[in-house]
Amino acid sequence: MPMQRVLDSYRKSIFSLSLVAGSLAALAVFLPAGAFSQSPKSAILDIDLQKPTHKVSPTLYGLMTEEINYSYDGGLYAELVRNRVFRDQTFTNEKRDPAHWTLVQRGEARASMTVEKGSGPSAALTESLKLSVEKANAASPAGVENEGYWGIPLRADTTYRGSFYAKTDDASLGPLTVSLVNDNSGMVAAKASVPALSADWKQYKVEFKTGPIRTSSENHLVLSVQHPGTLRLDLISLFPPTYNDRPNGNRIDLMEKMAAMKPAFLRFPGGNYLEGEHIPQRFDWKQTIGPLVDRPTHPSPWRYHSSDGMGLLEFLEWCEDLHMQPLLAVYAGYSLAQDRVAPGPDLDPYVQDALDEIEYVTGGADTHWGAERVKDGHRTAFSLTYVEIGNEDQFDRSGSYDDRFTQFYDAIKKKYPDLQLIATTKVTSRRPDLVDDHFYRSAEAFFNDTHHYDATDRNGPKIFVGEWATREGTPTPNFGAALGDAAWMTGMERNSDIVVMASYAPLFVNVNPGGMQWSSDLIGYDVLTSYGSPSYYAQVMFSNYIGDEVTESTLQGAGPRVFYSVTYSKARSTFFLKLVNASSNAQPLTIRLHGAAEVSKSGKLISLSAHTPEETNTISAPTRIKPVQTALHDLAATFQYTLPAYSIQVIEGSVK
Ligand code: AHR
């Protein structure tokens, strides 16, 4: 897609500019740091626990998500069958066999397959796979196999749930067998059969249980028959156990990794994924609800097809499972290829779509869209506070956002006056409740800008840092990036009266070749296992160890790459001191705690560190860098502490 390439190269050039700027800045700060490296001076950190400067925003740390890097399909969404409705338009050969599917012709069998238009199980799915079996018998079955998302993971003694839509014109076709087969041995790990297919489209369900097999991702799914005949197949699905056992649910390991981040909110559905390359490819929420067979699926702007198995209700249930509040982004009439809907009557249907969407989320069973949600299986309404209007509308070169925002703002505020509305860029015609700022930068650029929000007007809109990341390391960020992130987070925490929400992006990447569209992503995985990057662990630490107020503090005499933030919880009589040392030298500190009658000697130290900024975690070394907790025994009103080189640390202590 040419426009996508233009956007990518534009972003790349912005990123390289920021790297160059970062390097120049590095040069500027490096000389004193070099001098400092020869004689590290002790710095003095004064903290006054009796002097809160402001409350910490309880919603500060959240998640941002979209379909990118195989985040849902081939990622969080636990479906194991790839291209289950045959709409992935990349073909594997000249015969245009559907991607990720292969014809099976064992022994003497002869068959052919094709994706046929005009025959599908629903109005949404109007094409299906036609399998014509000319010759087959028990010793020579014919069928199709699916390779999954870089393999199909199988574990011992585990139940898998399969389903598919099918029909046949040949009553003599006989049973259809579904098997899970090892790629290397050809051994069948589990299989189930459907006795006969009907002449009309019908859904069939099978359940398998594996035996004592070795855990592996080198497996595939086979659907086969043992008699000649023609059959049509669609929506072929296979699920392993899911988080909270939800049907059509999420991968357990990834949900657990997110749960450990204690996120306060989830911004969804994007990002560029909300906008789409063109208007018809936006996240059209009404096409993502209800039974899977009624979801037409759509091409995502990240160059692959989205199954829409992760639809609006699934996003909301994900929030429910992780106790996060939804931050709903609504399509606002602008798509990436500079397609836009003119403000005024043309935009009205899109505004109505957003109102309907809010009703689907929050409405009772007595409302039209609330009743649809109930029909889809979720009786209770979700609570919603934040709605974002669009995404990155500063890229709309026509400058229409101000007017589009106004139209959405007025309609939403009229019906839902309590909702907090987020603008994606500066607007002047209305005062948004929040503005969403995005930062993709080098570590150096973040080191140099930790005071970014110190002087922001406290009477203006609040700030949502809806996408941010240090982009160093690929596919997942390295420790140097985690240092940039941690430095930046100290600044957000210190300013969390105005920066009320922040979410790192992107969240996920499938690390298989071809899985990544955006380098530097928080959590990496293949189909079997997952790992957190050093940046992930920095997020876990910042979000887990936090008080409810920022206290007055000063740091004097520290090196230029030392950053900190201190928060205090009066209710728990606990302080949390976050320290970041991005230099190659240890930093001695004298820490003076004022305003406490007594400081308990014992405390906790949580430490994330590495030998070099390049050091990182990978799918094969998933926890090379991870937080280590130790007990502290020498805390006092004044204590000495040496902050190691290349480290991110939290000191948790209690006072009376
Ligand atoms: O996070 C990746 C992309 O960066 C998002 O889709 C978009 O909003 C931003 O440009």
Side-chain angles (χ1 to χ4, degrees):
M1 281 172 267
M3 184 46 65
Q4 189 59 50
R5 274 200 296 277
V6 170
L7 282 173
D8 283 352
S9 70
Y10 173 72
R11 287 191 184 113
K12 267 187 216 129
S13 61
I14 294 276
F15 181 54
S16 356
L17 276 178
S18 99
L19 281 179
V20 172
S23 316
L24 290 175
L27 208 62
V29 293
F30 217 113
L31 292 175
F36 165 75
S37 77
Q38 279 145 32
S39 54
K41 290 192 218 93
S42 188
I44 297 180
L45 175 56
D46 281 298
I47 298 166
D48 197 330
L49 298 175
Q50 285 300 325
K51 292 196 181 144
T53 55
H54 58 79
K55 294 262 176 232
V56 173
S57 166
T59 52
L60 185 57
Y61 296 114
L63 302 176
M64 185 273 169
T65 170
E66 66 177 319
E67 184 59 282
I68 182 175
N69 304 319
Y70 293 86
S71 285
Y72 309 144
D73 291 347
L76 179 64
Y77 178 54
E79 173 64 82
L80 298 178
V81 176
R82 188 165 182 184
N83 195 15
R84 68 185 178 187
V85 297
F86 309 105
R87 286 221 160 139
D88 179 340
Q89 293 303 323
T90 56
F91 293 95
T92 51
N93 57 18
E94 281 154 21
K95 288 206 289 99
R96 296 166 67 83
D97 285 347
H100 316 296
W101 291 93
T102 310
L103 190 64
V104 174
Q105 301 174 95
R106 298 273 174 268
E108 306 286 304
R110 271 211 313 276
S112 62
M113 67 174 175
T114 184
V115 177
E116 196 179 67
K117 290 209 162 101
S119 167
S122 65
L125 300 181
T126 52
E127 52 208 351
S128 58
L129 188 76
K130 180 178 173 188
L131 177 65
S132 310
V133 180
E134 223 179 287
K135 192 172 170 194
N137 56 49
S140 301
V144 286
E145 68 179 51
N146 187 265
E147 65 189 21
Y149 291 94
W150 295 274
I152 291 191
L154 294 182
R155 295 180 166 81
D157 306 317
T158 305
T159 300
Y160 295 81
R161 293 194 170 82
S163 63
F164 59 94
Y165 283 79
K167 69 171 191 169
T168 182
D169 302 333
D170 296 284
S172 58
L173 187 72
L176 184 147
T177 302
V178 187
S179 349
L180 295 168
V181 182
N182 184 278
D183 295 345
N184 306 317
S185 65
M187 297 290 285
V188 174
K191 74 173 175 182
S193 274
V194 169
L197 301 182
S198 87
D200 298 318
W201 281 109
K202 191 177 149 198
Q203 190 184 28
Y204 298 87
K205 292 189 175 171
V206 289
E207 203 172 285
F208 320 81
K209 187 155 184 207
T210 53
I213 55 165
R214 196 175 57 83
T215 298
S216 147
S217 61
E218 294 173 325
N219 305 287
H220 56 273
L221 174 80
V222 178
L223 283 82
S224 61
V225 292
Q226 300 182 355
H227 298 282
T230 301
L231 64 154
R232 285 176 179 76
L233 294 162
D234 211 349
L235 189 45
I236 302 170
S237 171
L238 178 71
F239 271 83
T242 57
Y243 192 77
N244 279 353
D245 232 356
R246 279 201 192 270
N248 199 43
N250 292 336
R251 229 173 105 160
I252 295 169
D253 59 336
L254 295 176
M255 288 295 274
E256 285 172 347
K257 285 210 167 50
M258 288 185 282
M261 294 170 75
K262 295 220 165 69
F265 66 89
L266 176 72
R267 173 183 174 224
F268 67 86
N272 290 359
Y273 184 60
L274 170 72
E275 303 161 78
E277 191 65 21
H278 297 283
I279 296 169
Q281 295 155 3
R282 71 194 184 280
F283 183 83
D284 189 356
W285 73 270
K286 285 177 183 161
Q287 307 291 336
T288 73
I289 55 171
L292 295 178
V293 73
D294 295 329
R295 302 185 193 184
T297 75
H298 78 287
S300 94
W302 295 105
R303 301 184 286 280
Y304 59 93
H305 203 82
S306 169
S307 76
D308 285 331
M310 181 69 79
L312 178 59
L313 186 57
E314 285 79 15
F315 280 112
L316 294 163
E317 289 176 339
W318 171 5
C319 291
E320 193 168 55
D321 281 348
L322 295 188
H323 314 292
M324 314 178 276
Q325 54 172 306
L327 189 159
L328 178 69
V330 297
Y331 179 75
Y334 164 72
S335 295
L336 293 161
Q338 295 296 317
D339 292 6
R340 55 190 85 79
V341 183
D346 289 355
L347 194 60
D348 281 343
Y350 296 89
V351 173
Q352 189 56 49
D353 253 4
L355 292 172
D356 293 347
E357 190 170 8
I358 295 167
E359 188 173 284
Y360 184 91
V361 177
T362 63
D366 54 342
T367 63
H368 176 80
W369 287 105
E372 284 297 314
R373 186 200 62 243
V374 174
K375 205 166 87 195
D376 293 342
H378 205 282
R379 168 144 288 284
T380 50
F382 294 89
S383 110
L384 181 71
T385 305
Y386 297 99
V387 172
E388 178 156 13
I389 298 170
N391 177 60
E392 293 192 334
D393 290 85
Q394 68 274 21
F395 292 119
D396 170 3
R397 290 200 286 270
S398 76
S400 70
Y401 186 58
D402 225 315
D403 291 338
R404 287 188 287 110
F405 181 81
T406 302
Q407 207 169 323
F408 277 87
Y409 181 97
D410 290 353
I412 297 174
K413 282 279 183 189
K414 189 169 169 209
K415 189 159 179 207
Y416 300 101
D418 293 337
L419 284 179
Q420 298 281 292
L421 301 185
I422 305 173
T424 70
T425 187
K426 195 169 178 290
V427 285
T428 51
S429 55
R430 295 290 179 276
R431 183 187 186 278
D433 299 300
L434 294 94
V435 174
D436 180 358
D437 282 353
H438 293 180
F439 301 89
Y440 290 110
R441 288 177 161 182
S442 66
E444 197 57 45
F446 274 136
F447 296 154
N448 293 330
D449 200 25
T450 56
H451 293 279
H452 188 92
Y453 289 110
D454 288 6
T456 302
D457 178 8
R458 266 42 188 177
N459 298 313
K462 301 277 190 206
I463 307 292
F464 168 38
V465 184
E467 292 181 34
W468 69 272
T470 306
R471 299 198 64 194
E472 291 180 14
T474 185
T476 49
N478 58 26
F479 190 73
L483 287 167
D485 293 345
W488 176 246
M489 284 191 281
T490 63
M492 290 201 290
E493 227 167 81
R494 198 179 51 251
N495 284 289
S496 64
D497 55 330
I498 186 82
V499 180
V500 293
M501 308 173 104
S503 42
Y504 186 103
L507 181 61
F508 289 136
V509 63
N510 187 314
V511 300
N512 278 294
M516 181 183 79
Q517 290 83 49
W518 182 280
S519 59
S520 70
D521 307 288
L522 203 62
I523 297 172
Y525 46 84
D526 58 18
V527 78
L528 210 52
T529 61
S530 56
Y531 70 98
S533 62
S535 292
Y536 163 79
Y537 286 116
Q539 296 269 328
V540 170
M541 286 166 66
F542 269 69
S543 161
N544 276 258
Y545 298 95
I546 192 157
D548 39 39
E549 52 191 38
V550 173
T551 65
E552 218 173 83
S553 61
T554 56
L555 175 65
Q556 286 169 44
R561 291 190 186 173
V562 173
F563 310 90
Y564 80 100
S565 147
V566 53
T567 59
Y568 178 57
S569 162
K570 211 175 265 166
R572 288 180 282 160
S573 307
T574 304
F575 66 88
F576 302 90
L577 171 58
K578 286 163 179 152
L579 296 163
V580 182
N581 186 359
S583 121
S584 51
N585 293 295
Q587 173 67 63
L589 291 166
T590 300
I591 299 170
R592 300 194 299 217
L593 292 162
H594 307 277
E598 199 183 316
V599 175
S600 164
K601 279 184 162 185
S602 19
K604 264 190 223 165
L605 174 72
I606 301 94
S607 181
L608 189 70
S609 64
H611 300 98
T612 68
E614 289 75 29
E615 210 174 335
T616 197
N617 293 337
T618 61
I619 195 87
S620 50
T623 51
R624 188 186 281 131
I625 297 168
K626 65 170 188 194
V628 175
Q629 186 176 316
T630 47
L632 293 174
H633 302 291
D634 299 317
L635 298 183
T638 298
F639 64 98
Q640 308 298 321
Y641 184 73
T642 298
L643 180 61
Y646 298 136
S647 67
I648 299 165
Q649 301 200 319
V650 183
I651 294 178
E652 180 186 312
S654 51
V655 296
K656 284 205 177 113

